Amino acid sequence: VYYANLLGVDMGMFYKRRDYSRLVEGEHPVVSVEFLGNDVTGKTVVIVDDMIASGRTALEVATELRKRNAGKVIICATFGLFSDGIKRLDQAYKQGLFDEVYTTNLCYCPEELFAKPYYHNVDLSRYIALIIDTLNHDTSVNDILDATERIQELLDIHAAKMSAV
């Protein structure tokens, strides 16, 4: 919500209602899925999740977004574990469910993933080094963690480029 407001873009979310009174194959079954947000027709949509293990959750969301005629679908996750492999992602990409996947280098990713046309690995080593350096100097990490100013600078640069076109 914070970043959507900062960027001046719409934000939506999917709410999965589960039946917590029973388990099916070790999980509480989903009873319904509700989308809370505006029309996504033709829009570039970014799915943000904390991690991708099997990819099932992100791909379910991508499927729902395609049903709602979303334009480009980008999946972003901090931790790309891919503990169930990448076959499911490969199939979904071939079906056109999503366009790109971004994960960080904060955990190991299977080597074969780097050759995929849809995959991008985001290098956070500089960012982590800044945090460690700041902590070693016994100063606050607030300036590093608060990206508001950096995002605003990027938006200003983008706006300047767009007005020059």
Side-chain angles (χ1 to χ4, degrees):
V1 174
Y2 171 76
Y3 287 110
N5 284 328
L6 185 64
L7 293 167
V9 297
D10 291 334
M11 194 204 92
M13 68 176 66
F14 284 91
Y15 172 72
K16 287 199 272 188
R17 192 163 59 88
R18 296 182 179 271
D19 180 357
Y20 289 104
S21 67
R22 60 192 180 100
L23 285 173
V24 176
E25 296 180 18
E27 293 187 8
H28 299 285
V30 175
V31 178
S32 68
V33 176
E34 305 288 331
F35 177 66
L36 309 170
N38 295 327
D39 182 19
V40 297
T41 302
K43 293 182 180 177
T44 296
V45 180
V46 179
I47 300 169
V48 179
D49 208 346
D50 59 341
M51 69 173 197
I52 297 174
S54 67
R56 189 174 68 230
T57 302
L59 295 176
E60 287 173 358
V61 171
T63 300
E64 291 297 322
L65 289 168
R66 287 293 190 216
K67 286 179 186 176
R68 290 166 172 76
N69 301 311
K72 191 172 184 178
V73 175
I74 302 168
I75 300 170
C76 298
T78 304
F79 300 104
L81 304 174
F82 304 101
S83 52
D84 285 352
I86 58 174
K87 185 177 178 181
R88 182 179 283 137
L89 283 173
D90 286 343
Q91 291 170 341
Y93 179 72
K94 287 177 186 170
Q95 294 171 355
L97 290 182
F98 69 91
D99 298 280
E100 298 176 85
V101 172
Y102 291 82
T103 66
T104 69
N105 64 339
L106 296 178
C107 64
Y108 171 80
C109 288
E111 199 62 38
E112 65 182 305
L113 196 58
F114 291 87
K116 300 298 178 182
Y118 58 80
Y119 181 72
H120 306 278
N121 190 263
V122 179
D123 183 6
L124 291 183
S125 56
R126 182 175 178 272
Y127 187 69
I128 298 300
L130 282 171
I131 292 172
I132 292 169
D133 184 56
T134 301
L135 292 172
N136 282 337
H137 287 92
D138 202 26
T139 56
S140 174
V141 294
N142 284 342
D143 290 340
I144 296 170
L145 297 178
D146 183 4
T148 305
E149 193 173 307
R150 290 188 304 273
I151 290 172
Q152 199 58 53
E153 288 172 10
L154 288 171
L155 290 173
D156 292 344
I157 291 168
H158 179 70
K161 286 180 183 177
M162 296 306 290
S163 66
V165 172

